[in-house]
Amino acid sequence: MISPSAGELWGEARGKVILVGEHAVVYGAPAIVLGVGTAARARVRPAPEARLRLGEREVALAAGAHRGKLPLGAPEEARAYAALLDALGAPDLHAEVTLALPAGVGLGASAALAVALARAVDAAARGGDEGRAARVLAAAQAWENVFHGNASGVDAAAAYHGGCSWFTRAGGVEPLVPARPLRVGVAVAGPAASTRRMVEGVAERRRHEPERIDTIVASITTLVHAARAALTRGDEPALGALMVDNQRLLSELGVSTPELERAVAMALDAGAFGAKLTGGGGGGAVVALLSDESEQRVLAAWRRAGLFCFAAMT
Ligand code: MEV
């Protein structure tokens, strides 16, 4: 845990759970995403050279090494930090970031880290209020592109805005107001997995079977629109059924695993309206849509299976 001291500037950001639409969102489909918890906190202060501390890991950039002068072969964190500083026109800063959610499990830790850091760096670069969201999101995206390759921006948007959002690559974020607060359960079912590799895997399959993958993306697009309608009329059973359809399509995209399928089945058996993997897949987390009655049963089933899990309301 990092604690504040005088002269420092701070930023924080939410974690995220994609309710429906991951992977398809990379190809232009909409996604519905929820901001959950505070996932990352960052603090920065002026320094003779830029330096970034992430938990136990620390990388240094020679003075002024961002501004397009970073050596080839520098560690990913150094390249990402340099890209973020450059995007905000920031001076050399010493930054420290801590995460409150597990990383690499589809809960948006990387984007939360980027948004928290970008918020703190933007304050240090005296960005001002006007245009802050666009600046911070562009800088976070510059960071995300180093780690995720073709990131859609959905994770960073949720990390910045929180709440419940409709997201498209072309249109960005639109706030959504569910008819009733949504109660979700999240369980980490598999090992950490690289979002970049999962996104590249889908792209590779699309190169070999464009029609099959594009048909799946089209089905997910239709389903996400139906999910929006269900959410705004407060029809949780319909929304849950659409999440189950989405899980089947994600499995056809090749991003599910036996562990994720098992955690989804446990949630459904324990009375969830619906459940699916969330995020990049290949491991990581599942999300279940819950009622007051099913919440404790679903969490208990996951806990009996030894899974880290929690509930959240949006
Ligand atoms: C990752 O949380 C969501 C993906 O759709 C990738 C992205 O949209 O950047 C798998």
Side-chain angles (χ1 to χ4, degrees):
M1 190 62 199
I2 50 184
S3 44
S5 63
E8 291 172 340
L9 291 155
W10 283 77
E12 58 178 35
R14 305 229 153 218
K16 69 95 184 39
V17 171
I18 297 181
L19 209 55
V20 280
E22 53 273 272
H23 283 289
V25 71
V26 172
Y27 300 98
I32 298 177
V33 62
L34 311 176
V36 290
T38 295
R41 286 197 173 83
R43 63 178 178 184
V44 302
R45 58 184 156 78
E49 59 172 25
R51 186 175 277 275
L52 171 69
R53 188 172 178 82
L54 292 173
E56 297 302 298
R57 200 165 150 70
E58 183 155 329
V59 290
L61 277 58
H66 56 102
R67 303 180 196 114
K69 285 188 267 163
L70 201 66
L72 284 172
E76 276 189 329
E77 291 90 345
R79 285 193 284 123
Y81 187 38
L84 186 144
L85 289 172
D86 279 346
L88 292 166
D92 285 334
L93 294 167
H94 188 169
E96 195 175 343
V97 190
T98 51
L99 279 176
L101 276 181
V105 296
L107 301 178
S110 161
L113 193 159
V115 168
L117 189 55
R119 274 188 162 135
V121 169
D122 187 58
R126 302 184 193 287
D129 289 345
E130 201 179 321
R132 178 180 291 131
R135 270 194 324 270
V136 166
L137 287 174
Q141 188 71 5
W143 167 285
E144 283 281 90
N145 284 342
V146 173
F147 290 98
H148 283 191
N150 189 17
S152 68
V154 64
D155 291 12
Y160 187 89
H161 293 283
C164 178
S165 307
W166 176 263
F167 177 89
T168 59
R169 249 190 134 141
V173 162
E174 180 193 331
L176 279 185
V177 184
R180 275 189 290 277
L182 293 176
R183 186 183 292 271
V184 295
V186 175
V188 178
S194 150
T195 302
R196 163 183 271 190
R197 269 211 296 283
M198 300 315 293
V199 169
E200 285 172 357
V202 174
E204 183 62 22
R205 265 161 245 140
R206 190 163 179 259
R207 267 192 293 281
H208 290 111
E209 308 170 277
E211 274 177 31
R212 188 176 79 80
I213 301 299
D214 286 348
T215 304
I216 296 174
V217 169
S219 302
I220 295 177
T221 303
T222 306
L223 169 164
V224 177
H225 282 276
R228 178 183 181 143
L231 186 137
T232 46
R233 70 173 185 270
D235 187 345
E236 283 96 350
L239 183 56
L242 290 161
M243 290 168 69
V244 172
D245 289 349
N246 197 170
Q247 170 62 23
R248 181 180 45 76
L249 292 163
L250 286 164
S251 177
E252 287 176 21
L253 277 183
V255 298
S256 192
T257 65
E259 290 84 0
L260 290 165
E261 299 289 341
R262 261 199 300 281
V264 165
M266 276 179 223
L268 295 176
D269 287 349
F273 290 119
K276 58 180 273 295
L277 71 84
T278 185
V286 298
V287 57
L289 185 64
L290 306 175
S291 60
D292 286 359
E293 301 75 48
S294 63
E295 176 177 327
Q296 287 314 317
R297 285 204 305 276
V298 171
L299 294 181
W302 281 336
R303 285 193 186 116
R304 272 197 303 278
L307 305 184
F308 168 76
C309 57
F310 60 91
M313 292 267 283
T314 303

